[in-house]
Amino acid sequence: QKEVEQNSGPLSVPEGAIASLNCTYSDRGSQSFFWYRQYSGKSPELIMSIYSNGDKEDGRFTAQLNKASQYVSLLIRDSQPSDSATYLCAVKFGGSYIPTFGRGTSLIVHP
Amino acid sequence: ETGVTQTPRHLVMGMTNKKSLKCEQHLGHNAMYWYKQSAKKPLELMFVYSLEERVENNSVPSRFSPECPNSSHLFLHLHTLQPEDSALYLCASSQDLVSGYGEAFFGQGTRLTVV
């Protein structure tokens, strides 16, 4: 069974710190990786996508992909209370055209 | 608004009722999806449509019936639901299924409560 694993948390960090969210996946042939943010009671919102090994930066967000170790992470620099949300990792497994979602990690940024 | 609009936002229905959820996307996408999100569970893919053709049905009970009359509209018809069907139902769309990228954009969801 192909799976996407995330620690459900909550991950609690102080304002201004770096929040590190991790995701592992089971299919070595996976090609596309996504991070979504979901505020309580709201729908998921795409914040990052990454397709090749290495880092991809967008503002305060950095996605890191390591296909050999089968993990993808999301770093949030200078965390703000408004970043408090559940972060969903989604992976498009090889041979599939539909991303599979993890359970999400709850992030709490406290002032 | 994300370009994907769902109505209604909230729905309470009895187990003998029939209701429909509506989704409309204004992004020019060719693929549309229904997901179910229950507490403490990952997003569950229910149905996938590509160019109005259903391409995936993930063992969803027949009390859920999708309809895609055109590439901009998607419905989920509900009948004789059970209390365990109470959840957030999310519609999403993406450019298409073959581009290899698969960024999906979600609507705001319908919070369904079955009583």
Side-chain angles (χ1 to χ4, degrees):
Chain A
Q1 174 111 10
K2 296 178 180 179
E3 294 183 331
V4 178
E5 297 286 345
Q6 292 183 261
N7 188 322
S8 61
L11 172 65
S12 182
V13 301
E15 185 175 356
I18 296 176
S20 177
L21 303 158
N22 299 312
C23 172
T24 60
Y25 57 94
S26 59
D27 178 26
R28 191 172 288 276
S30 301
Q31 295 296 322
S32 305
F33 308 85
F34 310 94
W35 283 100
Y36 287 81
R37 177 177 62 200
Q38 186 173 24
Y39 291 113
S40 179
K42 304 293 186 182
S43 61
E45 172 192 13
L46 180 69
I47 53 173
M48 290 284 284
S49 56
I50 186 167
Y51 309 105
S52 54
N53 277 329
D55 295 0
K56 179 181 178 182
E57 188 174 317
D58 184 0
R60 295 186 296 111
F61 298 99
T62 299
Q64 299 176 317
L65 176 60
N66 184 323
K67 290 186 179 180
S69 299
Q70 294 175 232
Y71 80 79
V72 55
S73 60
L74 180 70
L75 302 179
I76 306 175
R77 290 182 300 283
D78 188 23
S79 296
Q80 302 297 309
S82 58
D83 295 325
S84 299
T86 295
Y87 289 80
L88 304 172
C89 173
V91 177
K92 202 170 181 183
F93 294 130
S96 173
Y97 42 70
I98 309 294
T100 297
F101 284 81
R103 292 177 182 269
T105 297
S106 174
L107 173 67
I108 299 172
V109 180
H110 54 87
Chain B
E1 291 298 330
T2 64
V4 181
T5 304
Q6 287 186 245
T7 54
R9 296 290 301 275
H10 300 273
L11 177 63
V12 179
M13 61 186 287
M15 289 189 284
T16 59
N17 291 159
K18 289 186 180 181
K19 296 286 184 184
S20 295
L21 309 185
K22 179 183 176 182
C23 176
E24 183 174 1
Q25 57 98 359
H26 313 278
L27 301 170
H29 288 169
N30 292 321
M32 297 187 76
Y33 315 76
W34 279 117
Y35 284 90
K36 175 184 178 183
Q37 188 174 39
S38 305
K40 307 298 183 185
K41 287 187 177 181
L43 277 171
E44 299 174 54
L45 180 66
M46 299 176 73
F47 302 104
V48 181
Y49 278 82
S50 175
L51 296 171
E52 301 135 53
E53 296 284 332
R54 190 192 309 181
V55 297
E56 189 148 334
N57 175 346
N58 267 8
S59 302
V60 179
S62 59
R63 57 186 183 269
F64 295 91
S65 175
E67 179 190 1
C68 187
N70 55 62
S71 59
S72 298
H73 293 85
L74 186 65
F75 294 90
L76 187 63
H77 304 299
L78 316 171
H79 64 97
T80 59
L81 294 192
Q82 304 298 311
E84 60 264 30
D85 296 322
S86 299
L88 180 67
Y89 288 84
L90 290 161
C91 173
S93 71
S94 64
Q95 184 61 55
D96 55 49
L97 294 183
V98 298
S99 67
Y101 297 115
E103 289 111 334
F105 296 88
F106 287 85
Q108 294 300 307
T110 295
R111 173 69 62 186
L112 173 67
T113 303
V114 181
V115 296

